[in-house]
Amino acid sequence: MSANALPRRAETLLWVAQRASAAMLAAFVLVHLATIIYAVRGGLTAPTILGRTHGNLAWLLFYGLFVAAVAVHVPIGLRVIAREWLGWRGRSLDIVALVSALYVVVAGWRAIWGLYA
Amino acid sequence: MERRPLRVQVWRGGADGALQRFEVPRRESQTVLDVVTWIQRHADPTLSYRFSCRVGMCGSCAMMVNGQPRWTCRTHVARLGGAELTIEPLRNLPIIKDLATDMAPFFDKWAEARGRFVPPPAPRMPTENGFARVEPAGRERRAADAGIECIGCGVCYAACDTVTWNPDYLGPAALNRAWTLVNDGRDGGGAERLAAVAGQGGCLACHTHQSCQELCPKALSPTASIAGLKRAVTLAALRGEV
């Protein structure tokens, strides 16, 4: 193990977090797709969509968790791909993965809040 | 039986070598190792390759045959089909010359995975006349038995894409060996071994492609062993033990 590598426990817990978030995403994506197909049957305008999402707490919670799961799942996976395909290792990769997680969570939650508030 | 000679392409040289063509007479029950041996005895005595037992026990004659790693002493040419045979050194290992690879990185990873029995300071199981009593039908012993017949041929290591992509990855054989020891009730190296197979090059790096169990000549399932290690490492991490 190189000096810059994360401790084994942290590495293992990241792996667990990625599997757990994948299990959550499997359910979220199914609900998401089913909702889209159901909601757009008659065609939708922007005001109709906003009318449904404004003040809808269930919608806010669902997509809030959805974004959190993506923010956990994607950067861990990209970190593994970068290691295997680009040979990128060490602290710089960990920082980029962390920053991408923060970006996904901030941008995602901001978008959701925009549709909710 | 087909009497036309077999057209064979054999890798010659090191990593920057090339394929060389030979024509080899067909024989009944001819194995790929027979073909290589015929070439060395009758066509080109400078051909380098490795074999020992010729009966599928020693694990030294594995090569890439038509792009797939195989134990050549037990691979019959007739069963491969096709009029041509391409024989190359095992993938994922440094080539020494022709069909001989340097197996050191493969076995170094067995050591890295703590693939050696560690006697505990005091017996961990009840003993009788100094011998541990291992219940053959016990859950742990059956898990160890499922992976214990590995002959160390390197076929799984050559078949694994994760080994190609991740030079730190310990590989299916070393992890399979670690799993048999994790399930050995007499062993005293458990915590150190789990720590060795966690981390970046350990069992969690496996993508479950299953090429190892598809091509293992002994029909073992390193994939299942690695899945067992993943569970053990996860539990140990959650308990703060690795």
Side-chain angles (χ1 to χ4, degrees):
Chain A
M1 195 166 65
S2 77
N4 273 339
L6 284 183
R8 290 185 173 97
R9 180 158 190 249
E11 203 65 61
T12 306
L13 294 177
L14 280 178
W15 183 86
V16 172
Q18 207 206 12
R19 265 61 191 174
S21 56
M24 289 168 70
L25 283 170
F28 287 153
V29 168
L30 283 178
V31 172
H32 176 63
L33 290 176
T35 310
I36 292 172
I37 292 164
Y38 172 77
V40 302
R41 280 173 310 158
L44 280 179
T45 61
T48 331
I49 295 172
L50 287 174
R52 290 178 184 181
T53 59
H54 265 315
N56 189 333
L57 196 61
W59 183 88
L60 180 76
L61 279 175
F62 178 81
Y63 280 98
L65 283 173
F66 198 148
V67 165
V70 171
V72 169
H73 187 78
V74 171
I76 301 173
L78 287 177
R79 181 170 166 269
V80 173
I81 293 169
R83 278 207 302 241
E84 284 187 3
W85 290 66
L86 307 175
W88 189 359
R89 308 277 153 110
R91 198 45 48 89
S92 63
L93 178 59
D94 296 338
I95 290 168
V96 167
L98 183 63
V99 168
S100 67
L102 291 173
Y103 173 76
V104 170
V105 85
V106 169
W109 280 351
R110 187 166 166 265
I112 293 167
W113 187 252
L115 289 168
Y116 172 80
Chain B
M1 197 177 75
E2 178 68 65
R3 281 295 159 199
R4 277 179 303 167
L6 189 66
R7 292 198 301 274
V8 187
Q9 297 194 82
V10 178
W11 187 264
R12 302 306 306 271
D16 55 353
L19 290 167
Q20 184 181 354
R21 288 187 172 278
F22 294 95
E23 291 207 334
V24 179
R26 290 179 188 262
R27 300 264 189 270
E28 204 158 344
S29 300
Q30 188 177 27
T31 65
V32 175
L33 184 62
D34 292 336
V35 169
V36 175
T37 301
W38 189 93
I39 293 171
Q40 199 214 41
R41 303 267 163 90
H42 299 97
D44 187 346
T46 68
L47 176 67
S48 301
Y49 66 110
R50 191 184 284 125
F51 76 98
S52 180
C53 76
R54 298 172 297 157
V55 290
M57 288 170 66
C58 73
S60 60
C61 70
M63 300 167 200
M64 303 298 289
V65 180
N66 292 347
Q68 285 196 339
R70 292 178 179 277
W71 54 354
T72 55
C73 70
R74 299 287 299 268
T75 302
H76 283 248
V77 172
R79 287 194 208 140
L80 292 171
E84 284 218 2
L85 204 57
T86 304
I87 309 171
E88 296 161 286
L90 276 183
R91 198 169 75 114
N92 294 336
L93 289 162
I95 302 171
I96 297 173
K97 178 178 170 282
D98 303 339
L99 300 171
T101 50
D102 180 2
M103 300 294 284
F106 173 70
F107 288 113
D108 285 349
K109 286 180 177 178
W110 284 52
E112 224 178 294
R114 303 288 191 274
R116 179 185 291 188
F117 178 81
V118 180
R124 295 179 59 224
M125 303 179 75
T127 55
E128 202 172 279
N129 301 326
F131 289 97
R133 285 181 62 92
V134 179
E135 179 54 55
R139 187 180 56 84
E140 287 194 328
R141 191 60 235 170
R142 280 187 287 122
D145 282 346
I148 207 72
E149 295 291 342
C150 174
I151 56 172
C153 64
V155 161
C156 58
Y157 193 80
C160 179
D161 284 336
T162 309
V163 171
T164 312
W165 298 331
N166 182 356
D168 296 336
Y169 181 47
L170 296 170
L175 292 170
N176 177 72
R177 173 62 184 155
W179 177 240
T180 61
L181 287 168
V182 165
N183 285 288
D184 189 332
R186 302 162 303 164
D187 180 80
E192 203 185 56
R193 188 170 300 106
L194 278 186
V197 300
Q200 292 192 0
C203 59
L204 303 180
C206 165
H207 292 304
T208 323
H209 294 145
Q210 303 182 44
S211 306
C212 52
Q213 68 173 24
E214 181 74 22
L215 291 163
C216 173
K218 300 291 287 181
L220 307 183
S221 175
T223 308
S225 300
I226 294 167
L229 284 180
K230 285 174 176 173
R231 286 193 298 275
V233 164
T234 297
L235 284 175
L238 292 174
R239 291 181 189 135
E241 293 167 1
V242 292

